[in-house]
């Protein structure tokens, strides 16, 4: 009999969701954990095996072990945080997703080019501080989870607060509106895009400044920060869903032109801010499962419409892999570097 495949991932971010989904779809499951998280992952009965490393950067050394277990790697946010682009590309272990997308995602310029071609509205970008003519947000390169971002009122404020910065950064128009993160899944097997769920982030301290009246803030030395600590669910005005789907469709369509032929497939997220005239502005795209989907391990109102059973994004990934195996088409859902 054929040995079953194992779904393997790093023990953090959305690993519980991914591995629970994998188990529900009949796969064996493996978490690579560190000393602090080992106990957590061992405590769940849907995790078949836990391999412990001292640092997540040791993941590359484990690939032969994973291959012995017939593993398929499902990447999440920690993979881009803890492994380099080169390491991603060096892996030949079966990998869910298209690594060619990584270059387009990692470079803010390429990402902008991609989204512009998909007819997506983005905040204006400023090249230098002198060009600033409105409030902006300064984003440090490589910053994770909004750390170190700065809200800046004008060119003078920019001079004063960025002079000491050593890191590279981008300057983006600050959009005043509500942030909404839309989680999609594109199935290459069915050529179909689904909206899985959506969330808003809970960020400290920007999400609490509104609790202090503006008049009371005057003279206080407090500026907004954007460090993410959690997520909460949102359902969108139904009339705005059609445009959400349109944006996702066009992002996938253009991805097939720029990093084709497979393009972007599987889970992805577009991070939007919606203004009072109900326009979406896109801050960023994330080309894999995002942590906001953890709210919906039991499914979301949107995934229920399609499945009538609990369908998390993690489970949807496992279902796609399963469907690929059942139709003898595993290569369609893996990066082309995958040696089967
Ligand atoms: P962690 O596993 O917590 O170290 O997170 C790995 C990466 O995912 C980091 O870049 C985090 O900033 C990001 N991340 C973790 N949790 C969330 C979340 N709830 N929302 C958005 N990003 C997150
Ligand atoms: P990001 O790293 O792009 O996911 O951004 C992290 C957080 O910074 C977002 O969730 C927003 O709260 C805030 N943010 C990012 N870009 C903008 C923008 N152009 N205008 C207003 N807020 C922003």
């Amino acid at each position: 009999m054929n040995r079953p495949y194992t779904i393997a991932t790093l023990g953090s971010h959305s690993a519980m969701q991914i591995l629970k989904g994998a188990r529900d779809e009949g796969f064996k499951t493996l978490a690579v954990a560190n000393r602090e998280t080992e106990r957590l992952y061992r405590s769940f009965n849907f995790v078949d095996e836990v391999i412990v490393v001292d640092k997540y950067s040791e993941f590359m050394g484990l690939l032969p072990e994973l291959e012995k277990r017939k593993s398929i790697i499902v990447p999440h946010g920690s993979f881009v945080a803890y492994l380099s682009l080169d390491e991603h590309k060096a892996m030949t272990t079966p990998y869910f997703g298209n690594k060619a997308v990584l270059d387009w995602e990692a470079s803010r310029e390429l990402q902008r080019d991609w989204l512009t071609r998909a007819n997506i509205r983005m905040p204006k970008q400023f090249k230098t501080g002198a060009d600033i003519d409105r409030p902006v947000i300064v984003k440090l390169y490589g910053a994770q989870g909004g750390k170190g971002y700065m809200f800046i009122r004008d060119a003078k404020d920019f001079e004063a607060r960025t002079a000491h910065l050593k890191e590279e950064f981008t300057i983006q128009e600050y959009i005043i509106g509500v942030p909404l993160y839309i989680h999609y899944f594109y199935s290459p097997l069915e050529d179909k895009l689904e909206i899985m769920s959506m969330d808003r982030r809970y960020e400290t301290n920007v999400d609490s400044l509104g609790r202090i009246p503006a008049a009371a803030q005057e003279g206080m030395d407090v500026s907004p920060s954007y460090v993410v600590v959690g997520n909460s669910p949102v359902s969108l005005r139904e009339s705005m869903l059609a445009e959400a789907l349109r944006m996702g469709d066009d992002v996938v369509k253009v991805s097939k032109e720029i990093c084709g032929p497979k393009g972007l497939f599987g889970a992805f997220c577009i991070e939007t801010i919606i203004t009072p005239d109900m326009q979406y502005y896109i801050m960023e795209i994330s080309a894999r499962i995002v942590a906001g989907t953890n709210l919906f391990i039991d499914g979301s109102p949107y995934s229920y419409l399609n499945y009538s059973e609990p369908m998390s994004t993690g489970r949807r990934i496992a279902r796609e892999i399963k469907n690929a195996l059942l139709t003898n088409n595993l290569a369609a859902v893996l990066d082309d570097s995958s040696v089967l």
Side-chain angles (χ1 to χ4, degrees), residues 32 35-36 45 102 146 157 163 168 191 229 233 244 246 254 266 269 278 295 306 311 316 334:
V32 175
R35 308 257 166 227
E36 288 84 63
N45 62 8
L102 291 171
D157 191 20
E168 276 195 86
D191 184 21
V229 289
R246 194 286 298 167
V254 174
C269 171
M278 304 226 306
L295 286 163
N306 276 321
M311 184 58 66
R316 184 65 189 82
L334 300 180

Side-chain angles (χ1 to χ4, degrees), residues 6 26 41 46 49 56 82 94 98 102-103 112-113 122 124 134 159 180 216 232-234 239 244 253 287 291 307:
T6 295
Y41 292 99
F46 58 82
E49 189 181 1
Y56 285 139
Y82 303 131
N98 179 359
L102 291 171
D103 289 314
R112 218 176 163 78
D113 190 23
M122 276 167 289
K124 190 172 150 66
R134 65 193 82 185
E159 287 304 318
L180 176 83
S232 42
V234 189
S239 55
K253 193 169 95 205
Y307 294 97

Side-chain angles (χ1 to χ4, degrees), residues 101-166:
V101 178
L102 291 171
D103 289 314
W104 286 83
E105 183 194 26
S107 147
R108 292 210 190 259
E109 289 70 37
L110 290 179
Q111 198 180 109
R112 218 176 163 78
D113 190 23
W114 173 11
L115 296 177
T116 307
R117 283 167 67 174
N119 287 318
I120 275 173
R121 195 178 295 102
M122 276 167 289
K124 190 172 150 66
Q125 196 96 351
F126 295 92
K127 286 208 170 60
T128 67
D131 300 334
I132 295 175
D133 60 358
R134 65 193 82 185
V136 295
I137 182 164
V138 167
K139 303 183 175 190
L140 304 186
Y141 269 30
Q144 298 294 341
K147 215 167 148 207
Y149 285 12
M150 280 186 285
F151 170 78
I152 295 210
R153 286 183 73 112
D154 51 31
K156 205 164 132 242
D157 191 20
F158 178 87
E159 287 304 318
R161 296 186 43 217
T162 58
H164 69 283
L165 278 185
K166 290 189 183 59

